[in-house]
Amino acid sequence: MQLKCVYFSPTERTKTVVREIADRLVRAQPNLFENVVYCDITPKPRRNSALSFEPSDYVIFGLPVYAGRVPNVLLSFLETMTGNSAAAVAVVTYGNRHFDDALIELSDLLRRKNFNVIGAGAFIGQHSFSKTLAAGRPDQQDLLALDAFALDLLAKGQVPLVIESIEGSLPVRPYYRPRNAAGEPMPFKGIKPVIDTTACTACGICAARCPMGSLTVEGHASVTGACIKCCSCVVHCPVNAVRFDDPYFEEHRLDLEKTYAKRKDPVWFL
Ligand SMILES: Cc1cc2nc3c(=O)[nH]c(=O)nc-3n(C[C@H](O)[C@H](O)[C@H](O)COP(=O)(O)O)c2cc1C
């Protein structure tokens, strides 16, 4: 079997979780997998051609939770995949608020694309918007959970998972909408990061990493296209020249940090 790690991971927490699961599977059963293939679908050009799998593949498929769901910007690309009965493990990472319907949505999508979904797990990754919410996660304690998840997967073998047993709702519920103190939905549409042009060194890292291909660098970086607020540019800027300064965005971040400070634990379904 080939072990294939497929992930979309702008701030690299999902990437870490997926790769740690793969390492554990290989360590526990070195003879089961011929090799490990990594397929990072974060860069926009990687999503130009459809992904197709073999019946003998074992795929770990990881996405971050955005607004309680699979990131909507990926949906049309994911619909082009062909599973060909490959075994699949659905993985989502979330920033300690909740994964809502993201895990059941991803698992159901993989099933519809003809994967044999054998397991699904929701893990916690530092919140993309915050320096404190789930800071440093996945951490040592999460890695212990990944040990257990990998062993559980191997013990279970390729028996299909009953998707409806996954926490969440099918049909999926609407996207989670942050609300202000008065209970009104926050107007996030159109918010983009701002660049401190005096600090920006035009290194191009933000533009190279933007999963939407929405940054250009001419003298300094500017946001010239659509923004999904994934925070890749903010997190990866080596001189901290990129940030969101929108007051609603800031209010939401502070509210998340206050409301969801209590540590959540990974869960999985087999
Ligand atoms: C646009 C956006 C929406 C998010 N929505 C949620 C959410 O609904 N629940 C949650 O707990 N975390 C949410 N997060 C946090 C991410 O799911 C979390 O930080 C994830 O680990 C990031 O994955 P990555 O490092 O692979 O990019 C959101 C992050 C972004 C950028």
Side-chain angles (χ1 to χ4, degrees):
M1 271 196 292
Q2 278 211 328
L3 182 55
K4 293 187 173 165
C5 300
V6 183
Y7 48 83
F8 176 83
S9 189
T11 62
E12 301 196 317
R13 277 96 201 196
T14 313
K15 170 182 169 178
T16 302
V17 168
V18 167
R19 293 177 81 118
E20 293 287 348
I21 295 168
D23 286 355
R24 281 159 177 71
L25 291 175
V26 172
R27 229 181 291 143
Q29 297 247 313
N31 299 329
L32 196 61
F33 304 105
E34 279 164 44
N35 59 346
V36 188
V37 178
Y38 300 98
C39 176
D40 182 0
I41 56 168
T42 316
K44 197 177 179 193
R46 301 268 174 85
R47 304 192 301 274
N48 283 343
S49 44
L51 290 179
S52 179
F53 297 87
E54 303 297 324
S56 57
D57 288 341
Y58 189 113
V59 188
I60 308 171
F61 208 102
L63 304 176
V65 174
Y66 284 1
R69 300 270 302 273
V70 166
N72 61 358
V73 71
L74 298 178
L75 288 174
S76 54
F77 166 71
L78 297 175
E79 287 293 343
T80 63
M81 291 192 301
T82 314
N84 280 322
S85 308
V89 179
V91 171
V92 296
T93 70
Y94 70 102
N96 210 57
R97 185 190 67 76
H98 208 285
F99 57 96
D100 297 334
D101 294 343
L103 188 60
I104 198 166
E105 181 181 20
L106 173 60
S107 305
D108 182 51
L109 189 146
L110 291 170
R111 175 173 62 178
R112 282 195 293 102
K113 296 289 120 193
N114 200 24
F115 289 87
N116 172 24
V117 183
I118 56 174
F123 300 89
I124 296 89
Q126 181 170 331
H127 202 295
S128 324
F129 299 166
S130 172
K131 287 194 168 68
T132 59
L133 187 54
R137 297 187 73 179
D139 58 15
Q140 285 306 316
Q141 211 176 313
D142 293 313
L143 295 183
L144 293 177
L146 294 178
D147 286 341
F149 182 46
L151 291 179
D152 283 355
L153 281 170
L154 290 170
K156 189 204 182 201
Q158 301 213 0
V159 180
L161 163 69
V162 177
I163 305 293
E164 287 69 19
S165 70
I166 298 170
E167 188 178 334
S169 161
L170 271 186
V172 288
R173 291 164 289 183
Y175 293 95
Y176 163 81
R177 281 200 73 182
R179 291 173 186 273
N180 65 13
E184 297 147 353
M186 289 203 191
F188 278 170
K189 226 177 168 176
I191 293 176
K192 294 179 181 189
V194 289
I195 317 282
D196 176 350
T197 52
T198 57
C200 175
T201 59
C203 69
I205 291 175
C206 57
R209 283 186 171 266
C210 175
M212 301 297 287
S214 291
L215 283 133
T216 43
V217 184
E218 273 168 31
H220 58 75
S222 355
V223 187
T224 45
C227 173
I228 57 169
K229 293 166 261 309
C230 71
C231 297
S232 172
C233 53
V234 178
V235 167
H236 291 111
C237 175
V239 293
N240 294 320
V242 193
R243 66 196 169 86
F244 283 92
D245 69 348
D246 182 273
Y248 289 112
F249 193 85
E250 191 61 4
E251 187 183 341
H252 177 49
R253 179 180 66 75
L254 292 171
D255 180 46
L256 285 170
E257 288 171 353
K258 199 173 75 188
T259 314
Y260 300 103
K262 190 168 178 282
R263 184 182 177 98
K264 293 199 170 150
D265 293 319
V267 288
W268 55 89
F269 306 86
L270 297 166

